[in-house]
Amino acid sequence: MLDTDFFRRWMAATAAAMDREADRLTELDAAIGDADHGSNMRRGFSAVGDVLGKEAPATPGSVLTLAGRHLISTVGGASGPLYGTLLRRTGKALGDAQEVTQEQLAEALGAGVTAVAELGGAKAGDKTMLDALLPAVAVVGASFDRAREAALAGALETVPLQARKGRASYLGERSIGHQDPGAASSALLVGALAETAGASGGGDA
Ligand code: ADP
Ligand code: MG
């Protein structure tokens, strides 16, 4: 079972990964966007880390809804509302439970990813964060490690794609040949989940 502390540690591990990889994310965004994705993710998840250090949400769902709210309020641009929606909707889907199963988290993440697709109007293959999230969510109920691998593979598979949503889509064919920054950061979010599960002693169903 995954308890509230697991979710706090997942968010802390995500904040550490975004901080560590901020320069790489910004370089990716410099190629096909406006070179702010790393600083957006660092600022947003650092704020999430701060608020989770001060407040003590009592359930897994409330950790994620609080995190999502803070991402929306601290990150401008496309990624703040999209990541905020992902975490808020996932948290809402977890309800009031004190502990959740890996399968329940997988279902809730599915609802969160669907909400991201609805908000942004993107689908698989449009060269967005969804290209990392969709394959990860498909396997996360069975294995956190496989979800991490699927997210990484999905992010790398955005390289040959032409962007159809967001700022990168303005480049048309010139967006081809670069990894999507949001897919790269989504792989970090899923990687932090696998890292947290691994530190808790496996956790795979
Ligand atoms: P901005 O594009 O406003 O500068 P960021 O650079 O922080 O915001 O985030 C860019 C990332 O947001 C993209 O790499 C992409 O993954 C994601 N993104 C942008 N628009 C959409 C959308 N409509 N649907 C899903 N993801 C999107
Ligand atoms: Mg940007």
Side-chain angles (χ1 to χ4, degrees):
M1 291 293 269
L2 310 171
D3 61 9
T4 303
D5 189 52
F6 176 92
F7 285 81
R8 296 166 66 95
R9 285 185 289 116
W10 175 23
M11 291 298 105
T14 303
M18 297 296 184
D19 184 54
R20 198 171 60 229
E21 303 280 339
D23 290 349
R24 182 173 68 92
L25 296 175
T26 284
E27 270 168 39
L28 294 174
D29 198 31
I32 57 170
D34 57 353
D36 65 356
H37 191 58
S39 50
N40 283 343
M41 291 292 94
R42 176 185 265 156
R43 184 172 64 256
F45 279 96
S46 154
V48 167
D50 287 350
V51 73
L52 291 175
K54 280 186 215 121
E55 295 183 29
T59 60
S62 57
V63 169
L64 296 187
T65 52
L66 184 66
R69 272 212 309 280
H70 278 260
L71 285 174
I72 291 170
S73 63
T74 55
V75 182
S79 59
L82 291 164
Y83 269 102
T85 295
L86 173 68
L87 295 184
R88 279 177 61 182
R89 191 64 69 91
T90 301
K92 197 175 158 205
L94 290 176
D96 293 334
Q98 296 288 328
E99 293 186 324
V100 300
T101 64
Q102 185 170 346
E103 190 50 49
Q104 284 168 329
L105 173 57
E107 270 175 39
L109 277 170
V113 171
T114 298
V116 170
E118 282 168 7
L119 178 65
K123 53 185 181 354
D126 284 347
K127 197 179 181 100
T128 71
M129 55 196 283
L130 288 175
D131 291 320
L133 292 172
L134 285 166
V137 161
V139 298
V140 71
S143 166
F144 289 117
D145 284 335
R146 275 178 55 207
R148 164 167 47 193
E149 285 158 23
L152 271 173
L156 289 175
E157 283 164 16
T158 64
V159 172
L161 298 176
Q162 178 172 336
R164 302 200 185 280
K165 290 287 165 190
R167 213 176 270 282
S169 67
Y170 308 155
L171 291 178
E173 288 184 357
R174 280 182 293 139
S175 63
I176 293 171
H178 304 278
Q179 185 176 172
D180 178 64
S185 60
S186 288
L188 295 178
L189 177 74
V190 178
L193 177 61
E195 183 189 319
T196 305
S200 324
D204 275 353

